Amino acid sequence: QVHLQESGPGLVKPSQTLSLTCTVSGDSVTSNDFYWSWIRQTPGKGLEWIGYIYRVDHPFYNPSLESRLTISVETSKEQFSLNLRSVTAADSAVYHCARYNQAAGGTFDFWSAGILVTVSS
Amino acid sequence: EIVLTQSPDFQSVTPGETVTITCRASQSIGSTLHWYQQKPNQSPKLLIRFASQSISGVPSRFSGSGSGSDFTLTINSLEAEDAATYYCHQSRSLPLTFGGGTKVEIK
């Protein structure tokens, strides 16, 4: 069974960088079959796809966040990470990591529990 | 960007009744529309893929239909455990997008 667990600080100061890591078990981040994704959720905007990474070094980003965003993979640790720079209060959200299964129609078939990140001084 | 508009935003339903949720895409997306269920304090769970394909382990009372730009999720004989927020999602093109969600409350 695939399991994803995110980790990182729950509080980030405005203008700083939000950094989260997702640890994958039951699968491999080097798999050619899946895209490793970040999604965030807020009461106001609902679910927002942030981006995903494919085959270790092929990231795809939401254009609305692309200028501030980096998604990368640490293969030795079976982890992938999110770095969102210059954050504001609008970046406060529950952040999920998820596996995107392109072969199964382009669906998110496994999700992490989600981590609440608040941007505040 | 493909915008997905769900309706209604909220529905209060008696157990045993049928629930119908619609999702309209801002442009034609074929059948690349999927449905998720999110219960309180849980992450979303895949319910239906490709508009109408069932997912292993999901009760048969959940069904989907539609193609192009208009889609429907139907829950027959609603049960108390179906209280949740339901989201549609399109995988036709990047950026991937989700509908705003429909919250189903049990009366």
Side-chain angles (χ1 to χ4, degrees):
Chain A
Q1 181 76 337
V2 178
H3 183 72
L4 297 95
Q5 177 69 59
E6 69 283 283
S7 58
L11 180 65
V12 181
K13 289 182 168 49
S15 80
Q16 294 192 342
T17 296
L18 185 163
S19 297
L20 297 174
T21 296
C22 184
T23 301
V24 178
S25 57
D27 201 344
S28 173
V29 295
T30 61
S31 170
N32 289 333
D33 297 326
F34 306 111
Y35 297 61
W36 301 99
S37 311
W38 289 98
I39 297 161
R40 67 184 183 182
Q41 185 168 22
T42 61
K45 292 188 69 176
L47 291 163
E48 180 181 25
W49 175 72
I50 297 170
Y52 55 39
I53 190 162
Y54 177 59
R55 289 187 178 177
V56 178
D57 58 359
H58 291 81
F60 297 82
Y61 300 140
N62 191 319
S64 67
L65 298 168
E66 185 166 14
S67 63
R68 301 190 288 132
L69 183 61
T70 301
I71 296 176
S72 59
V73 167
E74 178 61 67
T75 57
S76 63
K77 297 181 180 179
E78 294 294 356
Q79 294 176 337
F80 62 104
S81 297
L82 163 74
N83 281 278
L84 183 64
R85 297 173 290 279
S86 304
V87 296
T88 69
D91 294 308
S92 297
V94 174
Y95 285 76
H96 296 273
C97 51
R99 190 180 81 170
Y100 182 77
N101 191 338
Q102 182 66 46
T107 54
F108 296 101
D109 56 2
F110 289 96
W111 296 65
S112 67
I115 183 171
L116 175 62
V117 179
T118 302
V119 178
S120 174
S121 55
Chain B
E1 173 175 320
I2 296 173
V3 177
L4 299 177
T5 303
Q6 282 185 239
S7 62
D9 294 335
F10 176 84
Q11 196 163 7
S12 184
V13 188
T14 301
E17 292 186 340
T18 294
V19 172
T20 301
I21 299 169
T22 64
C23 179
R24 173 164 288 177
S26 58
Q27 63 190 75
S28 178
I29 58 172
S31 296
T32 56
L33 189 285
H34 320 288
W35 292 97
Y36 298 81
Q37 174 194 62
Q38 185 176 29
K39 295 183 178 180
N41 300 314
Q42 295 185 18
S43 55
K45 169 191 168 185
L46 181 63
L47 278 183
I48 299 286
R49 70 180 184 195
F50 275 138
S52 61
Q53 291 184 7
S54 58
I55 302 296
S56 175
V58 174
S60 59
R61 62 182 180 274
F62 292 93
S63 63
S65 63
S67 66
S69 58
D70 290 297
F71 302 87
T72 301
L73 173 70
T74 301
I75 311 172
N76 289 304
S77 300
L78 187 82
E79 298 189 7
E81 67 179 24
D82 300 333
T85 301
Y86 295 84
Y87 296 94
C88 55
H89 152 237
Q90 67 81 20
S91 60
R92 176 68 178 224
S93 66
L94 297 183
L96 304 175
T97 52
F98 294 86
T102 296
K103 184 174 182 178
V104 174
E105 174 193 87
I106 309 300
K107 284 183 182 175

